[in-house]
């Protein structure tokens, strides 16, 4: 039991707060006992997860995305979640190991993603501005 002493407008009060059971507190003020109903604590608001719909893809002539199934086994994949800031290659480009092919912004840092081998770009699987998760195929080099 917690005990408090208050003076309000010159009047002295001795208050003892007892057990609280199902939001009913036993309170004793100057020797007189009261049952005080307390408002329940507000439950924290659960935030709803909102999934944005996939943006409509531009026409095939405007898009660098592949038109058919792509073998992503040879793809350069995102090492961590982020946003594609820049794509520095196009389908048909010849790249050498170490060439920067995609710039990925993750945790407020620009990360240059380099070709892991010499080869030709056969597909660009993402668009500039796209949000990607870890292991998302970005560019296929064969």
């Amino acid at each position: 039991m917690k005990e408090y002493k208050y003076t309000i407008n010159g009047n002295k009060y001795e208050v003892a707060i007892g057990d609280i059971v199902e939001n009913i507190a036993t309170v004793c003020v100057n020797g007189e006992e009261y049952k005080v109903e307390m408002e329940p604590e507000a439950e924290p608001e659960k935030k709803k997860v909102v999934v944005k719909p996939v943006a409509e893809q531009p026409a095939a002539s405007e898009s660098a995305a592949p038109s058919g199934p792509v073998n992503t086994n040879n793809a350069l994949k995102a090492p961590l979640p982020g946003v594609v800031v820049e794509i520095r290659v196009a389908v048909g480009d010849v790249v050498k190991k170490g060439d920067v092919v995609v710039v990925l912004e993750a945790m407020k840092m620009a990360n240059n993603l380099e070709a892991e081998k010499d080869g030709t770009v056969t597909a660009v699987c993402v668009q500039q501005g796209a949000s990607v998760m870890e292991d998302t195929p970005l560019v296929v080099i064969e």
Side-chain angles (χ1 to χ4, degrees):
M1 189 174 269
K2 293 187 177 183
E3 296 183 9
Y4 303 92
K5 293 184 180 183
Y6 297 103
T7 302
I8 302 172
N9 292 333
N11 297 322
K12 295 189 183 234
Y13 299 92
E14 291 183 17
V15 179
I17 300 175
D19 294 330
I20 300 172
V21 179
E22 295 180 15
N23 289 336
I24 305 284
T26 303
V27 179
C28 186
V29 179
N30 291 341
E32 193 169 333
E33 191 170 291
Y34 298 93
K35 298 286 184 191
V36 178
E37 185 175 345
M38 299 170 33
E39 289 186 20
E41 286 186 32
E43 291 185 26
E45 185 178 321
K46 294 180 181 175
K47 303 223 183 224
K48 292 182 181 179
V49 176
V50 178
V51 178
K52 293 182 181 178
V54 175
E56 193 173 306
Q57 298 293 327
S61 61
E62 300 173 23
S63 173
S67 58
V70 175
N71 179 5
T72 58
N73 292 334
N74 296 325
L76 171 67
K77 296 181 180 175
L80 63 167
V83 175
V84 177
V85 176
E86 183 180 0
I87 300 171
R88 294 190 179 175
V89 294
V91 174
D93 287 356
V94 175
V95 295
K96 298 216 179 285
K97 181 178 179 177
D99 288 351
V100 175
V101 294
V102 175
V103 179
L104 181 72
E105 182 179 298
M107 299 187 303
K108 297 186 180 184
M109 292 183 60
N111 298 281
N112 292 329
L113 304 182
E114 301 173 348
E116 298 169 343
K117 61 182 180 179
D118 294 351
T120 302
V121 176
T122 59
V124 177
C125 304
V126 293
Q127 295 179 342
Q128 186 170 325
S131 293
V132 296
M133 298 303 293
E134 184 174 356
D135 290 330
T136 300
L138 305 173
V139 175
V140 178
I141 301 171
E142 294 183 355

